[in-house]
Amino acid sequence: MEHVAASQFRGYLWRDHDSTAIAQGGRGIRHLVIVGSVVLLALLAYVFPVKTGEDPQIVESSMIAKAPHPLIGKYCMGCHDSVEKTAGVAFDQMSLSNPDRNGEMWEAAVRRLTSGMMPPAGSARPTERENMEMIRAITTRLDAANPAPAPTVLRRLTRTEYGNVIRDMLGIHVDATTLLPPDPAVKGFDNIGEVLTTSPALVQGYLNAGMKISQLAVGDPNLTSSRRVFTLPHKLNNDRYIEGLPLGTRGGKRTMVLFPVEGDYMFEVRLGAGSTLFQKFGGGKLPKVDLTVAGKAFPVDKDGKAWVHVRAGEYPVTTALRDNDLGPGVDDIYSTYNIRGAIVDFAVQGPFRAKSGGRTVSRDRIFTCYPRKPYEERTCARTIVARLASQAFRRPIAEQAPEMDLLMRYYDLGRKTGNFESGVQRALAYILVDPRFLYKVEQEPRGIAPGIIYAVNPVELASRLAFFLWSSAPDDQLMASAISGKLTQPAELERQVRRMIADRRADALADNFAQQWFRLKELDSAERESKDFDDNLRYAMGQETKLLFQSVMRGDRPVTELLNADYTYVNERLARHYGMPGIKGDYFRRVALPADSPRRGLLGQASILTVTAVANRTSPVIRGAWVLDNILGVPPSPPPPGVEVNLDAAGKTPTTLRERLAIHRKSAVCATCHNMMDPIGLSMENFDQVGKWRTLDGKLPIDATGSLVDGTQLNGIADLRSALLRRSDAFTATATSKLMTYALGRPVTYREMPAIRQVLNDASRQNNRFVSLVLGIVKSQPFQTRTKPGPIAGVGPVRSTQAEPPKSEKKRKAA
């Protein structure tokens, strides 16, 4: 309610009266009556205000005059001006003439306009043409400012990268999770340099790992006997044959095990009652254990132990169950079993009576020469150490380089206490703890002033490229291209990128990038109160999503295919979960999906639906937030302190989850985000907490209807998928931003957004195919250059974009 405005008072004063008489002073009772009436009306209007407000046209004109752009004044300034300042944004205090000062806010506005999440529901919305005009007006000025890329901090290897480099350099697979602590994640990724700090515990871990790995790689006969335990998932379904294990068995696992030297090893297999679909099986006689090493079967005694003599190398070990008493059928894949027991874990202890020498992949890679005479040892050792150092430090190290002196001193120390191989092992141990190995070191040219942008050299570019696509070090071919200088040529760079994506090492993009982008790591720890959830299904869920991503990556398909792929990958366990008949066996195969299948694209996959639920029910809020963040690129703000977020709280709560969510939307503090999240999540309610299709929630029918912020009506997953495809530009931009963050190892800021828009512009001409996005990132200025840290001319402080509580009681200023 507002008081009568001055313009309205003047209207009352002059309406139906002799304006000339009044203007001239007037005479008589008539004039006094009129004036008295006007005064009375004014007093009444003040005491009893009427809901009239200011002239909307005047207010709008004032906003347009103050706004950086007329359309921003028309559609945005009602909430985002210096009076309301909703979410801390006041466009009348921002300028497109110097976007550097509020770059993050302008980029946030672009993302919300692109995704259709602003203006909010119930507000006047721009037409599609007006929306594009606003986006174009903002981005044109942002791109013209051409801000310098953010400085890059010194980054160390992540735990995953460490293991991959050891694999590619020495040919041995080590479980880095048993050697090093986990890495923290920021913006969804664990390779962000600014949080990859080095603690005393990590330093000790590097020292222990370097010594252990060097002994394993060289095959040190003095290697201390150790016990390695390989645990099987505790909810692994052991009731049937598993593909790849010996016929006639059930349950179990196939594991690659490294035997560093030839010798005797003791295997110990531990059985337990086991569990299958949460049904415990115990009592009675447990089945026999079937053990094979390198394809050869070995007997296991009643205590689960077996002694095996093994040559040095890495071999497959299978442990499975073989029932003595079979049901009807034959002793092979078609057998039926009396389900009892499961393999809990197996251990390998050794070596005992070890022999030196032997041939392994790691020894072949290390000992490219071998001395026949004592005087040849040091020359051969220098050749070996220089090559290992070049691989580890990811740059050429000449045999006679001064830095080789320190490495050869470690060789000498090892040689004094042992033999030639002991000296090489000691030098390798030092190489594996050298900062040039553990950190991605890049040289800064001399005389560079703070804020100056300079190109990284070709060898450093090769390292950036390898860690981006392989999460590992460059191979010989990539390094040769860099040393020759060819890698900086656009055609050669594209050839190398396409070669690397076709290589199996590019699976790291699915295992690391996609798994973190889609939050698949949360599957490992997910616990769901569902009889349909076990470790076989957990594994199959993750594999389906990784295989879809790999298909888009290696097939160079448009990234939007991730949203609406007409195919997926399933094995028997996952197909049974989805209700797909005729799928047998544990291997994954590609299956076609009809146009009306709810399983098309990421949003129909059980992995995504499981990590966006909670233990005992679905969570429309988590699912909606996941879509906003990972598909549309507009993550919602966290709930304000003190807001009740437990939808399962006891008390007189409404019956359905939809009704409980409606309570949050009644609060002005919660409504802004929940109006965006809830309709998205509710449209996915036909999937339960493990992604199984349903039509009832308990005894109540599923209601999957809703309305997006832009007014789009939803009724189930098909409508949501169609709505997202209409906003495919937002998804492509999100995918590119995520790729850029992962590639650079630092969060993307407004400084990198002009480069990202250039990538998107170039890729759009190739239908946004995956490789075109990767090539755009690799050729971009942020990827190929560095900015020296320090103050940068013309850059003001970056303002926070943290949301502020809505100011519903604040009055608007007069126009």
Side-chain angles (χ1 to χ4, degrees):
M1 300 292 284
E2 298 183 5
H3 297 297
V4 176
S7 58
Q8 293 171 303
F9 181 81
R10 286 192 296 271
Y12 283 121
L13 181 65
W14 292 97
R15 186 178 302 146
D16 298 328
H17 302 308
D18 186 348
S19 58
T20 302
I22 295 176
Q24 294 175 350
R27 292 184 179 88
I29 301 298
R30 179 173 176 270
H31 175 73
L32 293 175
V33 171
I34 294 172
V35 173
S37 300
V38 170
V39 172
L40 178 61
L41 287 172
L43 289 172
L44 289 173
Y46 185 85
V47 177
F48 302 101
V50 294
K51 187 178 180 180
T52 56
E54 298 157 325
D55 188 333
Q57 293 183 346
I58 297 176
V59 173
E60 182 178 306
S61 298
S62 175
M63 289 181 179
I64 291 175
K66 295 179 181 179
H69 188 276
L71 290 175
I72 293 176
K74 183 177 180 180
Y75 293 107
C76 307
M77 294 268 288
C79 297
H80 300 292
D81 67 350
S82 54
V83 178
E84 294 296 332
K85 209 173 185 179
T86 304
V89 178
F91 285 118
D92 56 347
Q93 296 178 348
M94 297 164 57
S95 172
L96 282 173
S97 61
N98 186 12
D100 260 348
R101 299 193 56 163
N102 304 102
E104 293 295 350
M105 289 187 178
W106 283 121
E107 292 295 351
V110 170
R111 288 192 295 271
R112 280 156 177 74
L113 290 170
T114 304
S115 64
M117 291 298 141
M118 284 292 169
S123 301
R125 297 187 65 84
T127 64
E128 193 63 31
R129 184 174 180 178
E130 289 176 321
N131 197 61
M132 292 304 299
E133 183 180 342
M134 270 196 288
I135 294 172
R136 193 180 306 110
I138 297 171
T139 56
T140 299
R141 300 301 292 272
L142 291 173
D143 295 348
N146 193 27
T152 301
V153 300
L154 180 65
R155 289 192 290 154
R156 65 168 172 82
L157 300 183
T158 67
R159 185 169 65 175
T160 299
E161 291 169 340
Y162 182 94
N164 288 348
V165 173
I166 295 297
R167 175 201 66 198
D168 296 338
M169 176 182 167
L170 300 175
I172 60 176
H173 295 81
V174 296
D175 184 0
T177 62
T178 64
L179 301 173
L180 302 172
D183 300 306
V186 173
K187 299 295 184 182
F189 298 107
D190 63 7
N191 67 337
I192 305 302
E194 60 193 45
V195 296
L196 289 176
T197 56
T198 305
S199 64
L202 183 59
V203 172
Q204 187 61 51
Y206 282 140
L207 293 172
N208 295 337
M211 182 59 70
K212 182 175 182 179
I213 290 169
S214 65
Q215 289 181 310
L216 292 174
V218 171
D220 185 356
N222 299 316
L223 188 68
T224 304
S225 174
S226 61
R227 178 183 175 87
R228 289 170 286 167
V229 179
F230 302 87
T231 304
L232 276 67
H234 72 284
K235 290 181 182 176
L236 187 70
N237 192 320
N238 285 270
D239 68 347
R240 63 184 61 211
Y241 171 75
I242 293 179
E243 202 81 33
L245 298 184
L247 296 178
T249 64
R250 64 174 173 86
K253 189 178 182 182
R254 184 179 188 272
T255 308
M256 295 299 296
V257 178
L258 173 66
F259 301 92
V261 297
E262 182 178 353
D264 295 334
Y265 294 84
M266 186 184 75
F267 288 76
E268 186 175 3
V269 185
R270 188 159 63 100
L271 297 179
S275 63
T276 300
L277 302 181
F278 291 91
Q279 298 176 12
K280 296 291 184 180
F281 299 98
K285 186 179 178 181
L286 289 173
K288 284 188 175 181
V289 174
D290 186 286
L291 171 68
T292 71
V293 180
K296 183 179 178 181
F298 292 90
V300 178
D301 65 21
K302 60 182 179 64
D303 296 321
K305 296 180 179 180
W307 283 92
V308 180
H309 184 84
V310 185
R311 291 183 178 273
E314 190 173 35
Y315 304 112
V317 173
T318 67
T319 53
L321 302 176
R322 189 180 295 276
D323 291 277
N324 296 325
D325 303 319
L326 296 176
V330 293
D331 189 12
D332 59 14
I333 190 172
Y334 301 105
S335 299
T336 59
Y337 307 107
N338 300 315
I339 308 299
R340 294 189 306 276
I343 294 176
V344 177
D345 58 40
F346 73 92
V348 181
Q349 187 167 345
F352 300 96
R353 292 179 290 278
K355 296 182 180 180
S356 61
R359 184 168 185 178
T360 63
V361 172
S362 59
R363 284 180 60 84
D364 285 347
R365 293 190 181 184
I366 293 171
F367 297 109
T368 53
C369 64
Y370 210 91
R372 296 183 179 181
K373 303 292 182 180
Y375 63 83
E376 297 176 344
E377 288 187 2
R378 190 169 177 81
T379 301
C380 177
R382 183 174 285 271
T383 299
I384 291 173
V385 172
R387 186 177 44 79
L388 291 174
S390 297
Q391 292 175 329
F393 302 161
R394 303 173 288 278
R395 62 184 180 86
I397 304 293
E399 291 184 23
Q400 302 305 320
E403 55 197 309
M404 281 293 297
D405 294 342
L406 175 62
L407 299 179
M408 289 306 295
R409 284 204 294 271
Y410 280 93
Y411 164 79
D412 293 335
L413 288 172
R415 180 66 182 86
K416 286 179 182 179
T417 58
N419 55 18
F420 169 74
E421 293 188 2
S422 301
V424 172
Q425 182 264 317
R426 181 67 68 89
L428 175 59
Y430 176 78
I431 288 172
L432 296 182
V433 296
D434 191 294
R436 291 168 292 180
F437 170 68
L438 298 175
Y439 288 84
K440 301 171 184 177
V441 179
E442 293 177 311
Q443 299 297 322
E444 181 181 286
R446 292 182 179 180
I448 295 293
I452 295 297
I453 305 170
Y454 60 93
V456 298
N457 65 52
V459 171
E460 294 166 350
L461 179 62
S463 186
R464 286 190 176 193
L465 186 58
F467 281 108
F468 173 26
L469 299 181
W470 288 347
S471 293
S472 186
D475 64 356
D476 291 342
Q477 187 177 153
L478 181 60
M479 189 59 73
S481 176
I483 294 172
S484 69
K486 293 180 180 179
L487 189 60
T488 56
Q489 300 171 5
E492 171 66 7
L493 184 60
E494 180 170 345
R495 188 184 75 81
Q496 289 291 344
V497 167
R498 293 188 180 277
R499 176 186 72 86
M500 294 174 72
I501 288 179
D503 192 285
R504 295 307 304 177
R505 282 170 285 189
D507 286 350
L509 275 175
D511 295 336
N512 298 331
F513 168 68
Q515 183 168 247
Q516 294 185 83
W517 176 14
F518 303 141
R519 290 173 43 190
L520 298 185
K521 282 189 174 183
E522 296 177 24
L523 269 177
D524 295 339
S525 57
E527 296 292 341
R528 297 291 177 264
E529 296 177 9
S530 170
K531 65 179 182 180
D532 295 320
F533 192 64
D534 55 35
D535 284 308
N536 308 67
L537 181 58
R538 186 198 308 269
Y539 169 77
M541 287 175 175
Q543 281 298 106
E544 177 191 23
T545 305
K546 290 180 185 179
L547 289 170
L548 173 62
F549 181 86
Q550 288 178 9
S551 175
V552 172
M553 175 183 72
R554 289 211 165 85
D556 194 16
R557 304 291 300 163
V559 290
T560 51
E561 194 166 286
L562 291 169
L563 295 179
N564 194 34
D566 59 0
Y567 61 91
T568 193
Y569 295 86
V570 296
N571 64 355
E572 180 179 354
R573 180 67 186 89
L574 188 59
R576 190 165 71 246
H577 187 67
Y578 286 166
M580 297 178 179
I583 306 293
K584 298 295 181 182
D586 203 48
Y587 68 94
F588 283 80
R589 80 277 340 244
R590 176 169 167 157
V591 296
L593 297 174
D596 61 347
S597 172
R599 299 298 172 185
R600 293 169 71 104
L602 290 171
L603 299 187
Q605 296 194 343
S607 61
I608 306 299
L609 297 162
T610 300
V611 300
T612 55
V614 293
N616 60 341
R617 60 165 174 80
T618 61
S619 175
V621 174
I622 297 176
R623 286 178 175 174
W626 187 94
V627 171
L628 288 175
D629 185 5
N630 297 290
I631 303 298
L632 297 175
V634 284
S637 301
V643 173
E644 177 59 62
V645 296
N646 182 13
L647 295 180
D648 298 321
K652 297 181 179 180
T653 56
T655 305
T656 67
L657 185 58
R658 173 181 287 270
E659 291 173 331
R660 296 199 291 275
L661 282 171
I663 295 175
H664 285 271
R665 292 196 298 275
K666 288 181 180 179
S667 167
V669 176
C670 304
T672 301
C673 289
H674 276 273
N675 285 337
M676 293 191 292
M677 295 184 296
D678 294 0
I680 295 173
L682 290 169
S683 70
M684 304 166 73
E685 272 293 276
N686 282 115
F687 300 108
D688 70 7
Q689 70 264 37
V690 291
K692 197 167 187 177
W693 185 259
R694 62 179 184 170
T695 56
L696 296 175
D697 182 6
K699 296 181 180 180
L700 299 174
I702 296 294
D703 181 0
T705 60
S707 177
L708 294 180
V709 173
D710 64 1
T712 302
Q713 297 299 308
L714 303 178
N715 187 9
I717 188 65
D719 286 349
L720 175 61
R721 190 183 299 113
S722 297
L724 294 176
L725 286 170
R726 287 195 295 272
R727 297 283 182 181
S728 61
D729 286 351
F731 173 67
T732 308
T734 300
T736 307
S737 295
K738 299 282 187 181
L739 271 169
M740 183 72 87
T741 297
Y742 180 77
L744 298 179
R746 67 174 187 265
V748 166
T749 68
Y750 77 97
R751 297 181 173 280
E752 288 73 40
M753 289 309 299
I756 288 176
R757 278 188 284 273
Q758 183 62 50
V759 172
L760 292 168
N761 183 57
D762 295 342
S764 65
R765 294 193 284 269
Q766 300 181 48
N767 199 22
N768 293 316
R769 295 182 179 276
F770 185 85
V771 176
S772 68
L773 294 177
V774 171
L775 281 170
I777 289 171
V778 167
K779 294 177 181 178
S780 70
Q781 184 191 52
F783 191 84
Q784 295 205 0
T785 66
R786 286 174 61 92
T787 303
K788 182 168 181 175
I792 303 173
V795 178
V798 178
R799 297 182 61 184
S800 172
T801 56
Q802 184 176 358
E804 292 183 357
K807 303 174 182 178
S808 56
E809 302 301 321
K810 185 180 290 186
K811 300 293 184 180
R812 299 194 57 78
K813 288 184 178 180

